[in-house]
């Protein structure tokens, strides 16, 4: 006698009632989020147009709502004030950046992760250059909006500082002279986070002043290289600044003992002076070493 199959087992997995309801709920949630985002954009666009045509101070919330085709109470479901309508994307971008930091691989350098995070903010502006340029011009004219912008920037700085503090304990690469676990932790976290945000703001404003033209991401990448070289100048332990990474103690054909000594000498102390020596290529090595020792002794006298 054939074994009977229950009705639920006969149904494909995707068509089972509980999974179907879950899929519908997920799709409904995504639609609601998209509709909410679209309404925020519509209100922000209406606000920007009114601010540009009749002035910021002269524009009321009622006028913004009417221009967007909604009631006043609808406006306040999306924004607490007309100032907030100028910055409709930052809340979502902050969430996206926080998710990026949380999902970063432990092997990735923490400063590189922060640089990737702030690039998400830059892309938010670059997606709509015309709106971003108009917003920038308006903010320059209205002190209240400049204060609001400063508050938004501070939220990113705090987010990056918290992330860096959480990663310093696990970081292998540390700047020379840095005391791990001491006051240097919080200082370097705040300074590094502020430097990344300041570099982003500098590049972004230069791009906005140029009318939103140019490869702004390439400009930001260049600024990141400058920051890395300033705040994190030494290579990881056992690795060269350029060329093939070498594991600690693995001295062979890939890297000579003289190269390892050179790397150690270059990163020995942040307070030491730089010594430049000129020698003929046919000079005996012993004479070159003796001249270097004599120069070092003279500089330390």
């Amino acid at each position: 006698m054939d074994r009977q199959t229950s009705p639920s087992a006969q149904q494909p997995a995707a068509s089972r009632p509980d999974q179907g309801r879950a899929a519908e709920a997920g799709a409904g949630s995504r639609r609601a989020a998209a509709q909410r985002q679209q309404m925020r954009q519509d209100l922000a666009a209406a606000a920007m147009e009114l601010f540009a045509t009749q002035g910021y101070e002269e524009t009321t919330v009622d006028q913004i709502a009417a221009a967007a085709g909604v009631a006043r109470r609808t406006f306040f479901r999306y924004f607490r004030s007309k100032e907030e309508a100028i910055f409709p994307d930052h809340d979502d971008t902050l969430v996206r950046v926080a998710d990026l930091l949380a999902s970063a691989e432990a092997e990735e350098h923490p400063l590189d992760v922060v640089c990737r995070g702030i690039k998400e903010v830059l892309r938010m502006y670059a997606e709509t250059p015309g709106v971003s340029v108009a917003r920038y011009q308006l903010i320059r004219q209205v002190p209240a909006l400049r204060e609001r912008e400063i508050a938004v920037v501070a939220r990113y700085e705090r987010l990056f500082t918290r992330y860096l503090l959480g990663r310093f304990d696990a970081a292998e690469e540390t700047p020379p002279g840095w005391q791990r676990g001491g006051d240097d932790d919080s200082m370097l976290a705040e300074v590094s986070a502020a430097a990344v945000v300041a570099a982003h703001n500098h590049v972004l404003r230069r791009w906005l002043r140029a009318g939103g033209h140019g490869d702004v991401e390439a400009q930001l990448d260049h600024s990141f290289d400058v920051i890395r070289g300033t705040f994190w100048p030494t290579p990881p332990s056992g690795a060269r600044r350029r060329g093939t990474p070498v594991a600690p103690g693995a001295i062979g054909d890939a890297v000579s003992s003289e190269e390892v000594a050179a790397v150690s000498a270059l990163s020995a102390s942040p307070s030491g002076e730089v010594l430049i020596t000129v020698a003929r290529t046919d000079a005996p090595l012993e004479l070159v070493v003796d001249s270097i020792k004599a120069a070092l002794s003279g500089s330390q006298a």
Side-chain angles (χ1 to χ4, degrees), residues 240-245:
R240 291 186 292 173
R241 185 177 299 279
R242 293 186 178 89
T244 305

Side-chain angles (χ1 to χ4, degrees), residues 91-163:
D91 287 342
D92 292 335
T93 303
L94 274 162
V95 172
R96 190 163 63 251
V97 173
D99 290 342
L100 183 151
L101 300 180
S103 62
E105 297 291 338
E107 294 77 14
E108 186 175 5
H109 194 284
L111 194 64
D112 290 337
V113 178
V114 170
C115 290
R116 285 201 296 118
I118 198 66
K119 188 175 283 190
E120 289 295 313
V121 185
L122 184 79
R123 288 170 178 162
M124 176 195 73
Y125 285 96
E127 285 177 357
T128 54
V131 174
S132 297
V133 171
R135 178 190 300 171
Y136 171 69
Q137 294 172 344
L138 179 65
I139 290 173
R140 293 180 63 189
Q141 300 169 7
V142 183
L145 295 181
R146 288 201 297 271
E147 294 174 4
R148 181 74 185 177
E149 184 183 39
I150 292 171
V152 170
V153 169
R155 295 173 68 187
Y156 289 107
E157 281 194 25
R158 288 194 297 270
L159 179 64
F160 293 141
T161 299
R162 288 195 300 268
Y163 170 77

Side-chain angles (χ1 to χ4, degrees), residues 260-275:
V260 173
V263 170
S264 299
L266 287 172
S267 60
S269 171
S271 60
E273 297 180 352
V274 176
L275 171 67

Side-chain angles (χ1 to χ4, degrees), residues 48-112:
M48 284 295 300
E49 184 173 353
L50 288 171
F51 294 156
T53 56
Q54 65 183 34
Y56 174 79
E57 296 295 344
E58 292 74 18
T59 299
T60 66
V61 169
D62 289 335
Q63 291 173 330
I64 297 173
V70 299
R72 173 188 173 91
R73 63 179 179 276
T74 301
F75 176 93
F76 285 111
R77 283 206 294 266
Y78 294 92
F79 300 109
R80 289 188 294 266
S81 65
K82 66 179 184 180
E83 289 88 349
E84 281 197 1
I86 300 297
F87 308 97
D89 304 316
H90 279 295
D91 287 342
D92 292 335
T93 303
L94 274 162
V95 172
R96 190 163 63 251
V97 173
D99 290 342
L100 183 151
L101 300 180
S103 62
E105 297 291 338
E107 294 77 14
E108 186 175 5
H109 194 284
L111 194 64
D112 290 337

Side-chain angles (χ1 to χ4, degrees), residues 25-49:
S29 177
R30 288 191 295 272
R31 283 195 300 270
Q35 291 171 356
R36 176 177 177 80
Q37 180 65 16
Q38 185 60 53
M39 178 54 69
R40 286 174 63 87
Q41 295 292 343
D42 291 345
L43 288 167
M48 284 295 300
E49 184 173 353

